[in-house]
Amino acid sequence: VITKNAEMDRIDFSKVPPNIFKREDFTEEDICFFYWWRQNKDVYRPSFSSRLRVFFRRAEISQILLPGLEFERVISGEREKVNRTHGTRLFLFILFPIIPIVLTALFLLGFFSLGLFWPRWLKRYLFFGPLEKVSLLEDDVKDTKDKIDEMQSKIEDMQESLDSLLASRGGLEKRSKKRAQDDDL
């Protein structure tokens, strides 16, 4: 499942789709990470810093703020979803309270500096909102065009029905005129 965020799409790491590699906004680092994440054979494990960068850049905010199995897998570097070490779990328990504190400090630092120390993604998120409206606009335009085409075909069908009705009525009027002429004779 992919959701929109202020800077780029956020991905639910528990449900990574198989066509994830076809995305245009992926860097080479992202592609290597997701080949490893999808457990493709003969793919080397990305470095620890590379795994963290991709995870923090691409994961949904809830998976970052509340580290779970996905984050544990990124930290441990294990291909499979099992075989986690106790050290990884301990690292997550230590890291869990630090993440919200750092994010809160980052927000407050930018707040008191009037946004000077906010990262670009936070500024975009706060002041421009999600970028979903662009894709929604494209969908709306397509839906509107489809509705216009549908209405045009309905109008053409109605015109044909009206023409045939008028033609049959015109035929009736000719018959009634002939009858009236015959009656006069």
Side-chain angles (χ1 to χ4, degrees):
V1 176
I2 301 174
T3 57
K4 296 285 186 178
N5 191 12
E7 190 165 292
M8 61 183 60
D9 293 341
R10 294 286 182 171
I11 300 167
D12 183 356
F13 273 59
S14 63
K15 303 172 187 170
V16 175
N19 61 350
I20 193 77
F21 310 109
K22 296 179 181 176
R23 305 240 332 233
E24 295 176 3
D25 61 334
F26 268 18
T27 63
E28 186 175 330
E29 183 179 47
D30 294 337
I31 292 171
C32 291
F33 174 85
F34 281 106
Y35 270 117
W36 168 77
W37 185 264
R38 296 278 307 161
Q39 300 178 1
N40 293 329
K41 295 181 181 181
D42 300 328
V43 175
Y44 74 97
R45 178 178 63 184
S47 68
F48 179 74
S49 61
S50 174
R51 291 191 314 262
L52 280 181
R53 271 194 309 271
V54 172
F55 185 79
F56 284 129
R57 187 173 56 233
R58 296 291 181 175
E60 289 183 340
I61 299 297
S62 61
Q63 291 176 333
I64 295 171
L65 293 178
L66 303 171
L69 294 175
E70 295 81 16
F71 190 60
E72 187 175 336
R73 185 173 163 203
V74 168
I75 297 295
S76 70
E78 296 293 325
R79 282 186 94 118
E80 298 166 11
K81 298 176 182 178
V82 291
N83 300 335
R84 304 295 195 281
T85 62
H86 294 292
T88 304
R89 183 129 331 193
L90 180 64
F91 180 73
L92 286 176
F93 284 135
I94 292 170
L95 188 66
F96 174 69
I98 294 174
I99 291 173
I101 291 171
V102 168
L103 289 175
T104 304
L106 181 67
F107 176 78
L108 291 175
L109 184 65
F111 182 76
F112 290 117
S113 68
L114 302 175
L116 185 63
F117 295 116
W118 276 334
R120 183 178 301 160
W121 64 267
L122 185 58
K123 290 177 189 177
R124 287 183 182 168
Y125 183 77
L126 289 174
F127 299 115
F128 299 109
L131 296 178
E132 290 181 31
K133 295 177 182 175
V134 172
S135 64
L136 289 177
L137 180 62
E138 292 171 1
D139 292 341
D140 287 343
V141 168
K142 184 179 178 187
D143 290 343
T144 304
K145 286 181 180 179
D146 291 342
K147 287 180 182 177
I148 288 172
D149 292 340
E150 182 181 335
M151 291 176 76
Q152 283 178 343
S153 66
K154 285 182 180 181
I155 289 171
E156 289 171 359
D157 291 342
M158 289 173 56
Q159 185 68 35
E160 289 174 8
S161 301
L162 185 60
D163 289 343
S164 64
L165 182 65
L166 288 175
S168 65
R169 186 168 181 185
L172 289 175
E173 288 177 4
K174 289 179 184 177
R175 286 185 206 156
S176 62
K177 286 182 182 179
K178 283 184 181 181
R179 285 186 190 162
Q181 290 175 355
D182 290 340
D183 289 339
D184 289 339
L185 292 176

